[in-house]
């Protein structure tokens, strides 16, 4: 026998989960920039290398933020649909 349960989704809870997911990913990128800054201060890499790599990481953060903003926009402006079963 196979069964499943369908529940209504709370958009605010789902959105909050995605916000935390985004923050976690951005935190990882910020840590990468912090490591680069530390290496630059210690003289292990030059300013040009630091700027180049930090810019690439910054671009990744911006792309990630845009991707999540699209998801948030779709979630907030989607039309409510009637449930298939139940209420």
């Amino acid at each position: 026998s196979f069964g499943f349960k369908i529940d209504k989704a709370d958009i605010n809870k789902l959105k909050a989960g995605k916000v935390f997911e985004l923050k976690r990913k951005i935190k990882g990128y910020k840590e990468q920039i912090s490591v680069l800054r530390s290496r630059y201060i210690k003289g292990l890499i030059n300013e040009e290398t630091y700027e180049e790599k930090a810019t690439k990481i910054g671009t990744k953060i911006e792309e990630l933020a845009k991707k999540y903003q699209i998801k948030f926009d779709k979630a907030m402006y989607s039309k409510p649909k009637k449930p298939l079963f139940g209420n």
Side-chain angles (χ1 to χ4, degrees):
S1 132
F2 179 75
F4 56 92
K5 184 177 178 182
I6 298 177
D7 287 329
K8 289 183 181 179
D10 182 0
I11 292 293
N12 290 328
K13 285 183 183 178
L14 295 173
K15 185 178 175 185
K18 287 295 178 185
V19 167
F20 286 120
E21 183 179 307
L22 174 62
K23 285 182 179 181
R24 188 187 82 244
K25 289 179 180 182
I26 289 176
K27 183 179 177 183
Y29 285 130
K30 285 182 176 181
E31 288 174 7
Q32 289 178 20
I33 291 173
S34 180
V35 168
L36 278 175
R37 187 179 307 113
S38 175
R39 292 181 68 204
Y40 171 66
I41 290 169
K42 291 178 183 176
L44 300 174
I45 60 174
N46 63 20
E47 184 177 359
E48 183 180 333
T49 302
Y50 168 76
E51 290 291 332
E52 180 182 318
K53 290 184 178 186
T55 301
K56 284 182 183 178
I57 294 170
T59 302
K60 288 180 183 180
I61 291 172
E62 289 174 4
E63 290 171 357
L64 184 66
K66 285 179 188 175
K67 178 179 149 185
Y68 274 79
Q69 187 58 50
I70 290 169
K71 289 180 182 181
F72 295 148
D73 289 344
K74 285 183 179 179
M76 294 309 295
Y77 297 110
S78 65
K79 295 180 183 177
K81 295 180 181 178
K82 292 171 62 175
L84 297 174
F85 306 103
N87 300 349

